[in-house]
Every structure is written in structure tokens, then in C-alpha cells.
Amino acid sequence: MGKALTLYTRKGCPLCEELATEVHALLAETGHVLAPVDVDADPALKAEYGWEVPLLFDGDTEICRHQLNLPAFQEWLRFNP
């Protein structure tokens, strides 16, 4: 069973939509899934991340911020086949 990566996002964010599309494509057929979380729906997350979205996390580990960091994502995939 794959892992669930968390994408911290907000509605109407073009960068968030772009990162989600890219990550979905890269996760295809890996068994991993993308779980979007709207930071505006949780005051604690909104306070913590503010306008720093999109952010892609595996648990507490940040993989990338604002845009796809392909080398970092590929390294994550290498350790999480």
C-alpha cells in the first residue's frame, strides 16, 4: 500500500493547481495518493503556512514548496517505491 502525500493548498491558487496536476501525473501507478488540505479551512494551518502554499509533505517532511522540485520528488520516490 502506498503513502498519502499531503498537499497544503487553497482554493483559487493557480500554483496549487499546477503542483497538484504535476504530482498526480508522477504518482500514477505508484500506489501513492495525493491528499489535498485547504489551509483556509483550518485556522492553525492558515496561521502556520499563510501564503506559503502550495506545500507538499510526506508526514512531517517537506518535499517541495511553491512549485515542483523534481529532483527532490524523484529522490522521495526512490526511497518510497
Side-chain angles (χ1 to χ4, degrees), residues 3-7 19-28 30-35 55-58 61-65 67-81:
K3 290 188 171 189
L5 295 177
T6 303
L7 177 62
L19 183 57
T21 299
E22 292 171 329
V23 171
H24 273 295
L26 291 166
L27 290 179
T30 65
H32 302 300
V33 295
L34 188 61
L55 297 143
L56 182 64
F57 276 79
D58 174 10
T61 303
E62 184 177 321
I63 300 170
C64 48
R65 177 181 295 243
Q67 61 187 8
L68 180 64
N69 178 336
L70 189 56
F73 189 81
Q74 288 172 327
E75 182 173 333
W76 180 86
L77 277 175
R78 191 165 55 93
F79 289 103
N80 298 278

